Structures are given as C-alpha cells and as structure tokens.
Amino acid sequence: MRLLGEEPRVALAAKVLEQLYACVQSGQRLAASDVREAVRTLDTAPETELKKVYGDVLRDVGGRRKLYAKNLAQRTYIDLIQKHDVVLAVGPAGTGKTYLAMAMAVAALNRREVSRLILVRPAVEAGEKLGFLPGDLIEKVNPYMRPLYDALRDLMDFGKVSRLIERDVIEVAPLAFMRGRTLNDAFVILDEAQNTTREQMKMFLTRLGFNSKAVITGDITQIDLPAGERSGMIDAIEVLRGVEGIGKVEFTRVDVVRHPLVQSIVHAYEKASAARDRSAALPASRE
C-alpha cells in the first residue's frame, strides 16, 4: 500500500494501518466505523495502542457475539468499572453507556463475582404523558424498563434471561423499589439517572452493600424532570467530586457509535442549544 500526502498525515495513516492490521491478526473484526474511530483516536492521542483499546475485555459475557470497546472513551469506561465500586457515566445517546455497563454486569455474573444483577430506572415520562396504564404494578412499570430488557436480551439467550429473572438473579425495577434495601453481592445499574431527584440519587447511592458495584448512566442534556427540579445526577457529579473510590467518565458526541448520522444529529442539537443560550443571554432591546 502506498500513502501520499503531507508527512504528518502520512505518518498517522501508516500508524493507523499498522495497528489495525495487528488487531485483525489477533481476531478482531473491523467495520468502516472502526477505521474512522481509529484515525480519530490516534490523531488526538498518538500514544494509544489500538490493540489494547479493542482488546476483548468482555470475553466472559458469553451470548451471541464478542464485544469490544469501540473507542478510547469506551475503554476508559470499562477500566473504570473494573477498578471502582461506583462509576458515573455522562454523555449523549449512542455512546454505549448502558450497553457496556450491562455487558460488564453479565460478565461479572458469569465469573461469579456477584450473585445477582439489579437494573434500575426512574419511572419518568420522556416529554409526554402516558396516562392510565392497565395491569398490575409490574405491568404498569414495564414500559419504562423496556430499554434495559432490550439490552439484556441482546447480550444473553432469551430463555436464560427469563429463567434468571424468575429466580430473582436478575431484577429489573423502578428506582422507587430501592428504598429501604441494602444491595449486597450485586452489580447495580442505574440508567437514565439524569431523571432522578437529589433525594432519589442519595437514596440509591446509600443502598450499596458489601461486594457490590454500581454504575450510574445518564445524559444531562435530556432531563425530563418538572421545571425547577434539580437533577440528582448533576448534583451527584458536584457533590462526589474527589471522593475516593468513585470514577467518572464523560462521553461526547464524537464517541457516538450508532449510525454515523446520530453523531451529526447530536452535534446539530448541541449547536442549536448553544445558539438559544447565547440569544437568551443578550440584553432585551429598548425602543
């Protein structure tokens, strides 16, 4: 292969190709999106070793396919979960916050590091009123829990998921169900944490028991709380800053790993939000 261009870019391209080739030799399957991400990663962090970023650290998950970190932010996230008992993950949709946390939880269960998985979400309507929902209590809250079920069933065989839920090895529950409990020997994921109140977040964090790990994920640009209600996730990020044993990773739009258009959509909304903020900050005109 012959590379043409300015010296710094040729050097970068050569480094990307060499490292990607090493990944392929080790069994990693690459998509076009992985190549784009590799270029971005080595351009911003030249000392990075892609083989370590893409290493199959989730090999104990089992299920239908191997799982790899897609970028440096995801690899940092995985490392933080391995090293800390509490991890806060903030960032836009499509960055893998919930999915990777779920994969790490399933891996921990398979390795018998924990005896149960507890998947939690606040039951907050996302910008629309659902009104009366028929059925018993579990049936009423199931629509709020559906994204967690979807991720779980993508990682594990459908029949196995059902059996583990029946045996209470896996519990999917609204946040309100956590009050008064102590969660020992468990891997706990709180999803959509931007929609918790300060009181709910404090309640959740103080549920953590012995040999337990908690991962808290959320997008603080998509808060569906009533006007004037401060997000418990924003509050926790400030209150827990510097507390030993708590890790924090912040994803950005460039870390989005869904369809390439999703990254552009996130960027467009960020620009529109910034423009509105600038407009609101301007003094009112006087006649």
Side-chain angles (χ1 to χ4, degrees):
M1 184 173 290
R2 188 179 183 191
L3 302 174
L4 301 174
E6 296 177 2
E7 178 57 34
R9 308 308 291 173
V10 168
L12 172 63
K15 191 172 185 178
V16 168
L17 289 170
E18 289 166 0
Q19 292 208 34
L20 287 179
Y21 186 65
C23 292
V24 171
Q25 284 184 313
S26 66
Q28 168 75 33
R29 296 180 64 182
L30 298 174
S33 58
D34 297 320
V35 178
R36 287 193 296 269
E37 190 58 43
V39 172
R40 184 183 73 84
T41 297
L42 290 178
D43 195 21
T44 55
E47 72 286 352
T48 304
E49 291 184 42
L50 293 180
K51 197 171 180 180
K52 290 184 178 179
V53 174
Y54 295 147
D56 184 13
V57 295
L58 306 178
R59 57 186 174 275
D60 296 321
V61 171
R64 302 171 188 174
R65 60 180 179 274
K66 291 183 178 180
L67 289 172
Y68 302 92
K70 292 288 188 181
N71 51 47
L72 195 56
Q74 287 194 354
R75 179 63 202 219
T76 299
Y77 183 36
I78 290 167
D79 291 342
L80 283 173
I81 293 174
Q82 290 175 329
K83 295 174 184 175
H84 294 79
D85 288 338
V86 176
V87 174
L88 295 160
V90 184
T95 49
K97 303 183 302 296
T98 303
Y99 195 84
L100 283 176
M102 194 79 76
M104 296 293 285
V106 172
L109 185 66
N110 287 345
R111 290 193 298 262
R112 301 183 187 278
E113 294 173 359
V114 296
S115 62
R116 56 183 174 155
L117 307 185
I118 301 175
L119 315 175
V120 185
R121 257 190 168 210
V124 176
E125 296 158 342
E128 56 183 312
K129 298 297 181 183
L130 299 180
F132 173 78
L133 293 174
D136 59 24
L137 185 59
I138 298 301
E139 290 172 328
K140 290 178 188 294
V141 299
N142 261 350
Y144 299 102
M145 304 295 113
R146 181 54 53 191
L148 295 176
Y149 283 113
D150 290 343
L152 191 58
R153 286 167 178 164
D154 195 44
L155 290 163
M156 301 177 73
D157 177 74
F158 181 83
K160 184 177 181 181
V161 171
S162 299
R163 290 192 298 273
L164 292 176
I165 290 175
E166 287 175 4
R167 290 162 45 197
D168 280 336
V169 175
I170 296 177
E171 178 183 351
V172 183
L175 179 59
F177 284 22
M178 297 298 106
R179 190 171 296 279
R181 300 177 61 180
T182 301
L183 307 175
N184 292 315
D185 199 31
F187 196 118
V188 191
I189 298 172
L190 172 58
D191 192 36
E192 293 290 314
Q194 76 275 6
N195 287 327
T196 61
T197 64
R198 284 181 288 188
E199 292 76 16
Q200 287 174 328
M201 179 60 77
K202 180 182 177 182
M203 178 272 291
F204 173 80
L205 288 168
T206 53
R207 299 307 94 200
L208 203 62
F210 293 106
N211 191 41
S212 289
K213 190 181 290 284
V215 179
I216 300 157
T217 71
D219 178 0
I220 57 176
T221 68
Q222 296 191 36
I223 296 173
D224 299 306
L225 293 170
E229 184 79 66
R230 182 170 170 80
S231 167
M233 185 167 205
I234 294 176
D235 190 64
I237 290 169
E238 295 176 2
V239 171
L240 301 176
R241 185 178 289 114
V243 175
E244 190 174 348
I246 296 179
K248 176 178 174 286
V249 60
E250 188 165 344
F251 294 92
T252 67
R253 61 177 176 81
V254 296
D255 299 313
V256 172
V257 292
R258 289 181 181 171
H259 190 288
L261 267 178
V262 174
Q263 197 174 104
S264 300
I265 291 168
V266 171
H267 181 48
Y269 272 97
E270 286 178 350
K271 286 177 61 179
S273 178
R276 285 194 297 269
D277 290 343
R278 287 194 300 270
S279 178
L282 292 174
S285 61
R286 297 181 179 178
E287 294 184 0

